[in-house]
Every structure is written in C-alpha cells, then in structure tokens.
Amino acid sequence: LHTLPKAVAALESSGHRVSWVNDLVPFDRVPQIAAADAIVMGRVMGIDAAALDLAPRCRVIAHHTSGTDTIDLAAATARGIA
C-alpha cells in the first residue's frame, strides 16, 4: 500500500488507520495485527488459523494478487472474515 498513495489517502480520509510491514515476517512479530480490521497481503505471504487467531478484529482479507491458495479459507470463514 505504501506504493499506492491515493489508496492510502482514501482510506485515511475515511477514518481508517493504515500501517504496513515492509519485510516478510511471521504475523506474531507484527504488533499491529491485534488491532487490524483488515489485512491486505501479497502472494508471497500466507495466513493460516494461527495467524488469524492473532487478529481477532479482522473482518476482511484483501489478497493483492490472484488466487486464494495462501489463505486458510476455512479458518477465515469460521471467523466471519470475507
């Protein structure tokens, strides 16, 4: 998102706080994950049930690519995440 300034500006102007992690790190090393309402992730990242447990507020996962093979869809669905 940091390379999409218009998208970040639109989110922030509508009251959302945007933060990002520049490196590929395990979700348990990302303190912002606990407060995240949404996660935007790229293809090389994966999110499983353990990672989703760290993001209890999350309601949306946006995959910045095609496919969903790196998302645990059953775990996301069980948590009401779109």
Side-chain angles (χ1 to χ4, degrees):
L1 279 177
H2 64 283
T3 60
L4 302 169
K6 289 182 182 179
V8 171
L11 288 167
E12 290 178 336
S13 70
S14 63
H16 300 284
R17 186 173 49 88
V18 178
S19 59
W20 57 81
V21 177
N22 288 324
D23 297 318
L24 291 174
V25 296
F27 281 103
D28 63 353
R29 292 184 45 209
V30 180
Q32 303 96 315
I33 196 79
D37 294 316
I39 298 171
V40 179
M41 54 186 267
R43 175 117 183 97
V44 296
M45 296 176 65
I47 191 160
D48 58 12
L52 291 172
D53 286 342
L54 300 171
R57 295 175 45 124
C58 183
R59 292 295 168 256
V60 174
I61 298 172
H63 209 219
H64 191 267
T65 187
S66 61
T68 57
D69 57 314
T70 59
I71 300 172
D72 185 335
L73 295 177
T77 301
R79 290 164 176 77
I81 299 172

